[in-house]
Amino acid sequence: MKMNLTEELYILYRRMKAAASWTVYLACSIFPIKKNKIVFSAFEGGGYGCNPKYIAEEIIRRSKLSGKNFELIWLVNDPTKKFPPEIKPVKNNLLNRAYHLSTAKIWVDNARKNFGTRKREGQFYMHTWHGVGVKPIGKMRGKSFSKIASIVSQYDASLQDCFLCDSKFAFDIFRKAFFNEPLIKIGAPRCDILVNDVEFQRKYIREKLNLPQDTKLLMYAPTFRGGSQSKVRNIFQEQSSLDFNLLKCSLEKKFGGNWRFLLRLHPQLGLRHNLFNISDNFKNFCIDITFEDDLYQFLAAVDVFLTDYSTASLEAAILKIPVFLFVDDYDSYIKERGNLILNISDYPFTFAKNNQQLQEIILNFDENLYFNKLNSFFNDGEFLIDGHASSRAVDLIENNL
């Protein structure tokens, strides 16, 4: 890949910064590795969510039964966030990362480690990633996958001891997109709740949001914008954007009931505080859950899922609920970020490029046809969805303690 001078200078800067970080880790290696210490992280300092959360909860559950004592650390940008009492939140900065990662036996993360992270002999790094589905990732992004992103990804891959995936579908994609990560198919821990705990979560989330139990919920979860990760797309301010009033009327006409919408932005947008500007007429029936740490508690409670290219589309389908794709920027998105993992028509979901099409696919939704497509997709992709992924992940961890 040909680079310009600006990119070369930026890579040089990142390499120098990584070398400085590596030196801090090296200094922390004077401290011994604690065999009962596990350090978690999610989304580069995000809160208590995604795959690491469900692995941590299984560890806590087992430790209560066995009496084993673990030191559980969570690296987080905001240490005031709520965690179980068994987990100690620690400010996610270089000194804390270097000390705690250098002295932990186990690392659990769902995103790439910082460039310059130093792993010691005898440590075990479990990378859980954060899903694969529609949008291209890694090398599949083509020109929009920058040289520095490639360097950081390869560096992180060199540290890993295992990289979790949930299907042959994901396994094959990771092989194409990434850098020979040590893949192992055990399922997605964050999806266990979508198998084991749906009825409880449906009731709990409605109580949490002060909604009647018969309220119908749609979750709208658009994904991150910007092929180079340097652009922000605010869909509420563009000419072509979702008509929420029309959407609400369509859902009521097709499925009946009183509908409320849950808005969930991608974590990268949430961490950058790039919130959508919600119009007044939408605020009446929209609840913003962007800063809730755990998407999957809410996902387990919804009746319909709407996104564009989000990984969560396939996971929402585990619930056997309607999933629709609203891709009003399809052509520009492909141009910016690269071709989707599959042709969009190869997914089991119907998709719309404008509000009128979205209304039509909702009103014409055929449940039997949808479920047949869904079952074929999951069978062909050899998805492992049995509610025991967290248990298998912790088995791996215990085998390496």
Side-chain angles (χ1 to χ4, degrees):
M1 182 186 297
K2 187 176 181 180
M3 295 186 291
N4 58 39
L5 180 60
T6 301
E7 186 176 19
E8 289 177 350
L9 289 174
Y10 178 68
I11 290 174
L12 176 61
Y13 162 75
R14 289 292 300 272
R15 289 189 183 279
M16 293 172 63
K17 186 178 178 182
S21 297
W22 192 90
T23 303
V24 178
Y25 278 87
L26 181 62
C28 289
S29 66
I30 64 171
F31 300 104
I33 295 173
K34 298 180 181 180
K35 294 183 178 180
N36 69 332
K37 184 175 182 178
I38 305 174
V39 175
F40 298 88
S41 184
F43 297 116
E44 301 175 359
Y48 190 50
C50 200
N51 290 312
K53 170 187 174 177
Y54 292 94
I55 294 172
E57 291 195 339
E58 176 64 10
I59 291 172
I60 293 170
R61 186 190 71 81
R62 292 190 187 189
S63 65
K64 288 179 179 178
L65 293 174
S66 66
K68 292 181 180 178
N69 183 33
F70 291 100
E71 183 181 357
L72 306 180
I73 302 294
W74 196 289
L75 297 171
V76 60
N77 294 334
D78 179 5
T80 65
K81 281 183 172 290
K82 187 177 180 180
F83 287 85
E86 296 86 357
I87 298 176
K88 179 182 179 181
V90 173
K91 178 69 175 178
N92 180 41
N93 57 39
L94 174 58
L95 287 177
N96 286 338
R97 283 197 304 271
Y99 172 73
H100 287 291
L101 290 175
S102 295
T103 55
K105 176 68 176 177
I106 306 290
W107 304 350
V108 180
D109 204 335
N110 77 339
R112 299 293 186 186
K113 288 296 185 190
N114 295 79
F115 193 25
T117 299
R118 180 178 182 270
K119 183 182 163 197
R120 300 167 67 179
E121 184 177 353
Q123 293 183 308
F124 183 82
Y125 173 22
M126 173 179 284
H127 190 112
T128 73
W129 197 238
H130 45 272
V132 61
V134 180
K135 66 182 180 182
I137 56 175
K139 290 182 284 187
M140 300 179 80
R141 289 172 50 195
K143 293 181 180 179
S144 70
F145 188 54
S146 66
K147 180 63 176 177
I148 187 60
S150 176
I151 292 170
V152 172
S153 296
Q154 290 181 70
Y155 184 83
D156 179 73
S158 72
L159 302 176
Q160 297 167 15
D161 293 286
C162 67
F163 187 106
L164 307 189
C165 70
D166 66 354
S167 60
K168 183 181 183 298
F169 172 76
F171 191 102
D172 292 342
I173 290 168
F174 290 143
R175 278 284 172 258
K176 294 176 184 177
F178 293 147
F179 299 92
N180 296 316
E181 278 82 350
L183 299 174
I184 180 169
K185 178 183 168 184
I186 68 164
R190 67 186 186 179
C191 291
D192 287 349
I193 194 173
L194 306 182
V195 178
N196 302 328
D197 212 17
V198 173
E199 289 305 315
F200 174 82
Q201 294 302 330
R202 286 183 65 85
K203 181 179 180 181
Y204 169 75
I205 291 300
R206 284 163 177 77
E207 289 177 350
K208 177 182 175 73
L209 299 176
N210 294 315
L211 298 173
Q213 285 298 313
D214 62 352
T215 302
K216 299 281 190 179
L217 291 178
L218 172 141
M219 181 183 291
Y220 178 49
T223 192
F224 184 68
R225 286 301 190 277
S228 63
Q229 308 305 302
S230 63
K231 301 175 183 177
V232 175
R233 177 178 183 267
N234 190 327
I235 66 165
F236 285 89
Q237 295 179 339
E238 294 196 351
Q239 290 181 350
S240 178
S241 60
L242 191 59
D243 185 333
F244 293 97
N245 288 303
L246 181 61
L247 174 60
K248 187 172 185 289
C249 291
S250 302
L251 293 169
E252 290 172 348
K253 185 174 181 179
K254 176 64 178 180
F255 301 109
N258 179 34
W259 286 83
R260 300 291 295 271
F261 295 169
L262 306 181
L263 172 64
R264 174 74 178 196
L265 302 189
H266 188 280
Q268 286 180 288
L269 290 178
L271 289 173
R272 290 167 173 77
H273 305 288
N274 291 313
L275 287 175
F276 290 153
N277 292 322
I278 303 174
S279 61
D280 290 337
N281 61 351
F282 179 45
K283 289 178 180 178
N284 294 329
F285 51 89
C286 171
I287 301 169
D288 191 345
I289 61 166
T290 295
F291 289 104
E292 294 285 348
D293 289 331
D294 184 14
L295 161 68
Y296 290 81
Q297 271 192 303
F298 288 87
L299 184 58
V302 305
D303 301 281
V304 170
F305 184 75
L306 177 65
T307 184
D308 39 26
Y309 315 100
S310 173
T311 294
S313 57
L314 290 175
E315 296 171 328
I318 294 171
L319 297 164
K320 299 297 178 67
I321 61 174
V323 175
F324 303 113
L325 305 183
F326 183 71
V327 291
D328 61 321
D329 66 336
Y330 179 76
D331 295 331
S332 60
Y333 187 87
I334 297 302
K335 183 178 180 180
E336 217 178 59
R337 193 177 177 100
N339 291 326
L340 304 182
I341 288 172
L342 302 176
N343 292 328
I344 195 166
S345 58
D346 291 334
Y347 288 93
F349 316 123
T350 47
F351 63 92
K353 292 187 176 181
N354 57 54
N355 289 292
Q356 288 66 40
Q357 287 182 4
L358 182 59
Q359 181 186 41
E360 290 174 8
I361 65 175
I362 291 173
L363 295 179
N364 296 320
F365 177 72
D366 186 324
E367 187 176 79
N368 291 329
L369 179 62
Y370 172 67
F371 287 145
N372 287 336
K373 288 182 177 179
L374 203 59
N375 291 334
S376 295
F377 190 90
F378 281 145
N379 289 335
D380 292 344
E382 298 179 21
F383 282 76
L384 180 54
I385 307 166
D386 63 359
H388 299 294
S390 301
S391 180
R392 283 187 286 270
V394 177
D395 287 344
L396 281 173
I397 289 172
E398 289 185 341
N399 290 338
N400 286 278
L401 281 172

